[in-house]
Amino acid sequence: THYNDGSEIPNITNNDDWNGLSTGAYGDYDNNPTNSETYGRLYNWYTVDDSRGVCPEGWHVPSGDEWTMLTDYLGGTSVAGGKMKSTGTIEDGDGLWYSPNTGATNSSGFTARPAGYRDAGSGSFVGLGTIATWWVNNEYNVSNSWGRTLHHNAATVSRPYNNKEHGVSIRCVKGNS
């Protein structure tokens, strides 16, 4: 909720206010802080790109190359997602992902949780229980930045680019960027 220098990252609860932002902001899924206790907060790209730093000192938002090293280590993008996802399903009462939670073993210890995302255009919340997506610190173009995404019905890790105004998760990595 704060940058490294102590400045507050605005929590935007109004969908209309979320649309068109070009400065850092975050939200709790469905504007419910309890969701963030379980899934984490959702941030727009401008939070990642802010020079004040969103990750703690000594940590950083991973690059695309760092994500590739991880997925390669886990056997490639076709199976790495399953090795990164928390196990269990909502339907069985033992997990956070909707069924089928394909390939989920969490053998990597990454414990990916399906936080969904906040849509850039409408500001609405989408995909809780079905999708986990994180920012990568590499821009795609002026309007979009790279991400990494897992889905409940696949063991893969996809490499989409997201509108910079989307609200998605951030996973910080320890070490120099």
Side-chain angles (χ1 to χ4, degrees), residues 67-92:
W67 275 97
T68 298
M69 284 191 309
L70 173 62
T71 56
D72 286 353
Y73 176 78
L74 295 175
T77 57
S78 64
V79 296
K83 294 176 181 181
M84 294 167 64
K85 290 193 288 183
S86 62
T87 58
T89 65
I90 291 169
E91 292 84 354
D92 289 341

Side-chain angles (χ1 to χ4, degrees), residues 1-142:
T1 60
H2 292 80
Y3 292 107
N4 274 340
D5 69 356
S7 340
E8 192 170 327
I9 301 169
N11 177 10
I12 306 299
T13 57
N14 182 295
N15 290 351
D16 292 334
D17 292 344
W18 185 268
N19 184 13
L21 277 176
S22 60
T23 57
Y26 79 89
D28 302 307
Y29 196 97
D30 279 341
N31 295 313
N32 182 345
T34 302
N35 283 328
S36 290
E37 292 171 16
T38 303
Y39 298 97
R41 292 184 169 85
L42 303 172
Y43 299 86
N44 66 14
W45 162 256
Y46 304 103
T47 308
V48 173
D49 197 40
D50 194 290
S51 62
R52 294 172 285 183
V54 66
C55 293
E57 192 67 37
W59 295 69
H60 64 277
V61 175
S63 67
D65 288 344
E66 288 172 305
W67 275 97
T68 298
M69 284 191 309
L70 173 62
T71 56
D72 286 353
Y73 176 78
L74 295 175
T77 57
S78 64
V79 296
K83 294 176 181 181
M84 294 167 64
K85 290 193 288 183
S86 62
T87 58
T89 65
I90 291 169
E91 292 84 354
D92 289 341
D94 62 353
L96 300 171
W97 292 87
Y98 280 105
S99 184
N101 200 9
T102 303
T105 65
N106 196 33
S107 61
S108 68
F110 191 91
T111 317
R113 295 177 176 198
Y117 66 94
R118 191 168 192 177
D119 184 70
S122 67
S124 61
F125 297 93
V126 181
L128 189 72
T130 64
I131 186 171
T133 189
W134 300 270
W135 288 118
V136 173
N137 73 5
N138 307 97
E139 288 181 280
Y140 176 73
N141 61 26
V142 68

Side-chain angles (χ1 to χ4, degrees), residues 114-174:
Y117 66 94
R118 191 168 192 177
D119 184 70
S122 67
S124 61
F125 297 93
V126 181
L128 189 72
T130 64
I131 186 171
T133 189
W134 300 270
W135 288 118
V136 173
N137 73 5
N138 307 97
E139 288 181 280
Y140 176 73
N141 61 26
V142 68
S143 302
N144 301 286
S145 185
W146 290 108
R148 292 298 185 276
T149 300
L150 309 179
H151 294 273
H152 75 291
N153 59 356
T156 58
V157 176
S158 62
R159 183 180 172 244
Y161 57 84
N162 296 310
N163 184 304
K164 291 179 180 180
E165 296 173 19
H166 271 346
V168 305
S169 300
I170 294 174
R171 179 68 68 109
C172 297
V173 176
K174 191 173 185 178

